[in-house]
Amino acid sequence: MRCKPTVFDHSPIAFTVLAGFALLAVACDREPARAPPEPEERAASAPALDPLPSWNDTSTKRAILDFIERVTDEDGTEFVPADERIATFDNDGTLWSEQPVYNQLAFAFDRVHALAPQHPEWQQQQPFKGVLEGDLESVAASGERGLVGLMMATHVGNTTDEFAGVVTDWINSARHPRFDRPYTDMVYKPMLELLALLRERGFETYVVSGGGVEFMRPWAERVYGIPPEQVIGSRVRVEYQLRDGAPVLLRLPDAEHVDDGPGKPVGIHQQIGRRPIAAFGNSDGDFEMLEWTTSAPGLRLGMIVHHTDAEREWAYDRGSPVGALERALDEAPAHGWLVVDMKRDWNMIFPFQGG
Amino acid sequence: MRCKPTVFDHSPIAFTVLAGFALLAVACDREPARAPPEPEERAASAPALDPLPSWNDTSTKRAILDFIERVTDEDGTEFVPADERIATFDNDGTLWSEQPVYNQLAFAFDRVHALAPQHPEWQQQQPFKGVLEGDLESVAASGERGLVGLMMATHVGNTTDEFAGVVTDWINSARHPRFDRPYTDMVYKPMLELLALLRERGFETYVVSGGGVEFMRPWAERVYGIPPEQVIGSRVRVEYQLRDGAPVLLRLPDAEHVDDGPGKPVGIHQQIGRRPIAAFGNSDGDFEMLEWTTSAPGLRLGMIVHHTDAEREWAYDRGSPVGALERALDEAPAHGWLVVDMKRDWNMIFPFQGG
C-alpha cells in the first residue's frame, strides 16, 4: 500500500496549482475503539501547574488563558454555558504541519504508486505519469482539472469502510519526507495542550478543515482526542447501496462540500448548528471561520498560527503555495485576532523535538 | 406570525401528495441556553425503580432493557464502549406525532397565512390560494411542484438566525388541531423515557429525520434533551454573506440533502461518521437507517413504532399518506427488528394524558 515518496526528491517545485486545489473529501468509518487521550492532569487548587507548558509566557498565552477564565467564570458577566463552548480548529497548518505539501496530497501521490499496477495507462497519462516519475512540474502543469482527476482516482470508487482502511494503513506506515516521522507525529504540541485545556474547561473541540473529512476521522480521535462526530471537512457524495445483500456507502466522484473559506461557516452550521465562541486557523482559508466566530456578540476568541520558524518547522505566509496567509494577517488587528508567532510563543513545536 | 389553522377544518382530505413530499430543511441557530432535561434518577442499587414506567411489562420492553444491559456490561462479550453507543431516532411518528399532517407542513401553511399580506398574488395562485382558503384538495392537486414552491416560499430567503426566530415563535404559539396543545406536547412519553435511559447508560442520542434540520434544532434540546449538533435532517443550501459588514448565512431554494430513506444512512455518515448500534423509526422512510444499523456485526437494536391506537393517538400503517409502514413491517421479523404496538406496549402516549 505504501510507496516511496519520490515526489519529494525534486525541489523547488511549482506547487502553486497543487496547493490551490481544495483537498477533497475522504472515507471513514472508524478505528477500533480507543480512549481519547486524557486531558492534562491539574490538581484542583494548584495554579502552579502550567496547563500550557509548551507556550512561552508571552502576551499570547496570557490572552488565551484570560479568555478561558472569563467565559468559564460563573460569576462573571462574560460567562458562557458549557454547551455553548464550541471551539473550532483548522487542521493543516494549525494542528499539524502542511509542508512541503498538504499531507493529504502526499497520501494521494502514494495512492497513485499503490494503484499504478492496476492502471497501466497511467504510465503515459498526466498527472499520473508525473507522480510516478517524481516529475511534479508535470503534475502541476496538468492544472486544476488534472488534479481533480488525481484526487478522484485516488479517493473515490470504494466504500467508506474500504477508504477508512486505506487511510489507516497509510497513516500507520507513511513517513514525512523531511523529519522521517509518521505524519501523526507532525502535530503541534502547544495545540495539543490547548485542545486538552479547552476540553477540561468544558469546551467541545471540533476540527474544521479544508481536508477531506474521511481522511481525518480514522485517526483524529487517537491523535487529537477528537471523535469522528466532531470532525468537519470537505466531502464527496456517498450513496447507499446493497452489495450481496449488505449495505455499503459508496464514495462518488462528486465534491459535495468544499470546507474552505466561506465553506467553513457553512460546514460548521450544517454539522454543529451553533456558532463557535473560539476559532483557530493559520491561513486565509480560515478567514471566514474566524470572522463568523468573532463577529457574534459576547467575548470571542480568534487566533492565527503564524509560521515563523524555519528551523524547527517552516516559515511562510504571503505568497506561499501552501497555507497562504495575507488578508487574515493584515486584518487580524482590526478583528482583535491573536497572532501566534511560533518562534517566539512556542518553546516546543513537535512532541518528538523534546523539551 | 401565527394564523388560524383553517386548513384542518376540511376533512377527509387527499394528503397523499402532501405526505409524499419530503420535508425540506429549515433554519437554526439556537435557543437561549437551557439545560437539557436531567435523565431519570436511578438509585445505584435499586432495580425496583422502573426506568421506563410508561412501557407495559411486555416482551418489547424486556427486549429493550436486555439490549441495553448487554451492550453496557463490561464483563460481557457484547460490550460496546461508550463512545460507540450511538442511537438514532426518527422524529415524525417516532418521537412526536405526524397526524393529520407532518407538523412542519402545518408550520408551512401557517407561514403562508402570515406572509400573505406581502404576497397579494397568492390570492390567485396555487397552492397558496388553496392554503389561504382552506381548500387542501387544490393544494394537493398542485402536485409536487406546487408543494416544493410552497415549502420554498415559506422556508428560504431569510438568514439562519431569522428562520430560527420564526420557528421558535411558531413552536411557542401554534397548537395542534385535534388536541389543542402546543406541538411540543405531542411527544411520546415512552420515547422520552427511552431517550433519557439511553443517555444515562452512556449513549449519544441523535435525531435523524426527514424533516428540516433547522425546523427541529431550535426546540429539540428543550423538548428531547438533544442538542443542535445531534440533530440530523433535510437541509437547504446556505451561503455565507456579509450584510452591512456582519456575516450571515442565507437560506437558498436548493434542497441540498433529503434525509429520508437511503438519505438517512448518508446523513448519519456525514454528521456522525460512526455507524449507530441502535435505531428507532416508524415508517418505510426509516427502512435503510434500520438496515444500515442492524446489519453491522455485534449486538444491534432496530425498533419500529407501530401506530395502533386510534383512541389515544392514531392508527395507521399500510397506504397511509403520512408515515406509511409497509415494507419495514413486512421485513421486521427477518431483520430481528422490534415492533412496538403502541396500544399494547405503552400505558401512556402523550405526557398530558396523565397516568
Side-chain angles (χ1 to χ4, degrees):
Chain A
M1 205 61 81
R2 163 79 185 134
C3 299
K4 262 191 77 212
T6 51
V7 293
F8 296 111
D9 300 345
H10 299 249
S11 69
I13 290 161
F15 270 107
T16 308
V17 178
L18 298 185
F21 176 75
L23 291 177
L24 290 173
V26 200
C28 142
D29 237 36
R30 59 169 173 266
E31 298 218 297
R34 222 181 283 233
E38 284 301 311
E40 305 277 322
E41 291 283 340
R42 282 182 97 207
S45 49
L49 200 57
D50 184 351
L52 297 176
S54 300
W55 294 70
N56 290 322
D57 186 22
T58 62
S59 59
T60 310
K61 177 177 182 169
R62 289 191 293 270
I64 292 170
L65 293 174
D66 179 62
F67 167 79
I68 295 172
E69 286 307 314
R70 287 158 73 185
V71 297
T72 56
D73 176 6
E74 288 192 40
D75 300 326
T77 56
E78 290 158 326
F79 177 71
V80 176
D83 63 348
E84 294 180 27
R85 288 181 213 148
I86 306 287
T88 55
F89 290 79
D90 170 58
N91 188 36
D92 297 306
T94 299
L95 294 180
W96 75 351
S97 69
E98 59 185 351
Q99 297 283 5
V101 297
Y102 295 120
N103 297 339
Q104 191 174 350
L105 198 54
F107 164 77
F109 291 159
D110 285 352
R111 287 294 293 155
V112 170
H113 285 274
L115 295 170
Q118 299 152 48
H119 293 275
E121 73 281 9
W122 284 358
Q123 302 294 334
Q124 302 305 323
Q125 184 185 335
Q126 293 294 5
F128 305 99
K129 183 171 185 286
V131 173
L132 292 172
E133 295 173 352
D135 171 18
L136 285 214
E137 302 279 0
S138 302
V139 176
S142 73
E144 185 178 329
R145 190 172 162 183
L147 286 160
V148 169
L150 187 143
M151 293 301 280
M152 289 303 171
T154 55
H155 281 70
V156 304
N158 44 13
T159 70
T160 53
D161 283 346
E162 289 166 352
F163 188 79
V166 168
V167 169
T168 300
D169 287 345
W170 183 83
I171 209 81
N172 288 339
S173 60
R175 294 179 82 85
H176 189 277
R178 174 174 162 192
F179 291 92
D180 192 26
R181 288 270 176 175
Y183 284 93
T184 48
D185 282 5
M186 303 295 297
V187 295
Y188 307 132
K189 179 81 159 36
M191 297 303 286
L192 297 181
E193 293 168 0
L194 181 54
L195 284 170
L197 174 61
L198 287 169
R199 287 194 292 261
E200 187 196 336
R201 301 303 295 267
F203 282 75
E204 284 186 355
T205 55
Y206 283 81
V207 169
V208 178
S209 171
V213 63
E214 304 201 60
F215 178 71
M216 299 180 286
R217 281 177 168 166
W219 49 268
E221 185 152 17
R222 172 170 60 88
V223 176
Y224 301 141
I226 296 179
E229 60 268 30
Q230 293 176 355
V231 178
I232 299 171
S234 297
R235 56 176 194 269
V236 294
R237 193 157 65 85
V238 301
E239 187 174 271
Y240 189 78
Q241 292 187 354
L242 291 185
R243 280 194 180 174
D244 301 325
V248 297
L249 292 171
L250 187 66
R251 293 170 52 77
L252 301 177
D254 176 6
E256 184 180 73
H257 173 64
V258 177
D259 199 70
D260 194 40
K264 290 202 176 198
V266 170
I268 289 168
H269 181 72
Q270 284 179 351
Q271 194 157 327
I272 310 177
R274 303 187 199 253
R275 206 154 158 173
I277 68 165
F280 305 85
N282 77 298
S283 79
D284 284 356
D286 302 311
F287 187 93
E288 286 84 356
M289 176 170 74
L290 269 68
E291 182 179 58
W292 177 240
T293 300
T294 62
S295 61
L299 191 64
R300 299 291 180 264
L301 176 64
M303 191 185 97
I304 294 168
V305 175
H306 189 190
H307 293 262
T308 53
D309 194 329
E311 192 180 331
R312 294 184 300 172
E313 204 240 5
W314 285 271
Y316 58 98
D317 46 36
R318 292 174 204 282
S320 170
V322 171
L325 175 63
E326 305 185 9
R327 183 183 172 204
L329 193 60
D330 293 337
E331 299 191 19
H335 286 286
W337 298 338
L338 292 179
V339 177
V340 173
D341 180 333
M342 285 175 79
K343 189 168 188 171
R344 191 181 67 96
D345 288 324
W346 290 358
N347 62 53
M348 194 194 304
I349 293 186
F350 300 119
F352 59 81
Q353 287 169 332
Chain B
M1 203 61 80
R2 164 79 186 135
C3 299
K4 259 191 81 215
T6 50
V7 292
F8 296 111
D9 299 346
H10 300 248
S11 69
I13 291 161
F15 270 107
T16 307
V17 179
L18 297 183
F21 177 73
L23 291 178
L24 290 173
V26 199
C28 145
D29 238 35
R30 60 166 171 267
E31 298 220 297
R34 223 182 281 233
E38 284 301 311
E40 305 277 321
E41 291 283 341
R42 283 182 97 206
S45 50
L49 201 57
D50 184 352
L52 298 176
S54 299
W55 294 70
N56 290 323
D57 185 23
T58 62
S59 59
T60 310
K61 176 177 182 170
R62 287 191 294 270
I64 293 170
L65 293 174
D66 179 62
F67 167 80
I68 296 173
E69 285 308 314
R70 286 159 73 186
V71 297
T72 57
D73 175 6
E74 289 192 38
D75 300 324
T77 56
E78 292 159 325
F79 177 70
V80 176
D83 64 348
E84 295 180 27
R85 288 181 212 148
I86 305 288
T88 54
F89 290 80
D90 170 59
N91 188 36
D92 297 305
T94 299
L95 294 179
W96 75 349
S97 69
E98 58 184 351
Q99 298 281 5
V101 295
Y102 296 120
N103 297 338
Q104 191 174 351
L105 198 56
F107 165 78
F109 291 159
D110 285 352
R111 288 294 293 156
V112 169
H113 284 273
L115 295 169
Q118 300 152 46
H119 293 275
E121 75 280 9
W122 285 358
Q123 302 294 333
Q124 302 305 324
Q125 184 186 333
Q126 292 295 6
F128 306 99
K129 183 170 186 285
V131 174
L132 293 171
E133 295 174 353
D135 171 18
L136 285 213
E137 303 277 2
S138 302
V139 176
S142 73
E144 186 178 329
R145 188 170 166 184
L147 285 161
V148 170
L150 186 144
M151 292 302 281
M152 289 302 173
T154 55
H155 281 71
V156 303
N158 45 14
T159 70
T160 53
D161 283 346
E162 288 166 351
F163 188 79
V166 168
V167 169
T168 301
D169 287 346
W170 184 82
I171 210 80
N172 288 339
S173 61
R175 296 179 82 83
H176 189 277
R178 174 173 162 192
F179 290 92
D180 192 27
R181 288 273 177 173
Y183 284 93
T184 49
D185 282 5
M186 302 297 296
V187 295
Y188 307 133
K189 178 83 162 31
M191 296 304 287
L192 297 181
E193 293 168 359
L194 181 54
L195 284 169
L197 173 61
L198 287 169
R199 288 193 292 262
E200 187 197 335
R201 302 303 294 267
F203 282 75
E204 285 186 355
T205 55
Y206 282 81
V207 169
V208 178
S209 171
V213 63
E214 305 202 58
F215 177 71
M216 299 180 287
R217 281 178 169 165
W219 50 267
E221 185 152 17
R222 172 170 60 88
V223 176
Y224 301 140
I226 296 180
E229 60 269 29
Q230 293 175 355
V231 178
I232 299 171
S234 298
R235 56 176 194 270
V236 294
R237 192 158 64 86
V238 301
E239 186 175 272
Y240 189 76
Q241 291 188 352
L242 292 184
R243 279 196 182 173
D244 302 325
V248 298
L249 292 172
L250 187 66
R251 293 169 51 78
L252 302 177
D254 177 7
E256 183 179 73
H257 173 65
V258 176
D259 199 69
D260 195 39
K264 290 202 175 196
V266 170
I268 288 168
H269 181 73
Q270 284 179 351
Q271 194 158 326
I272 308 177
R274 303 187 200 253
R275 205 153 159 175
I277 67 166
F280 305 84
N282 77 298
S283 79
D284 283 357
D286 302 310
F287 186 93
E288 286 84 358
M289 176 170 75
L290 269 68
E291 182 180 57
W292 176 240
T293 300
T294 62
S295 61
L299 192 64
R300 300 291 180 262
L301 176 64
M303 191 184 97
I304 295 167
V305 175
H306 190 189
H307 293 262
T308 53
D309 193 330
E311 192 181 330
R312 294 184 300 173
E313 204 241 2
W314 285 271
Y316 58 98
D317 47 38
R318 293 175 203 282
S320 170
V322 171
L325 175 63
E326 306 185 10
R327 183 183 172 204
L329 193 59
D330 293 338
E331 299 191 17
H335 286 285
W337 298 338
L338 292 178
V339 177
V340 173
D341 180 333
M342 286 176 78
K343 190 168 187 172
R344 190 181 68 97
D345 288 323
W346 290 357
N347 62 53
M348 194 194 304
I349 292 185
F350 300 120
F352 59 81
Q353 288 170 331

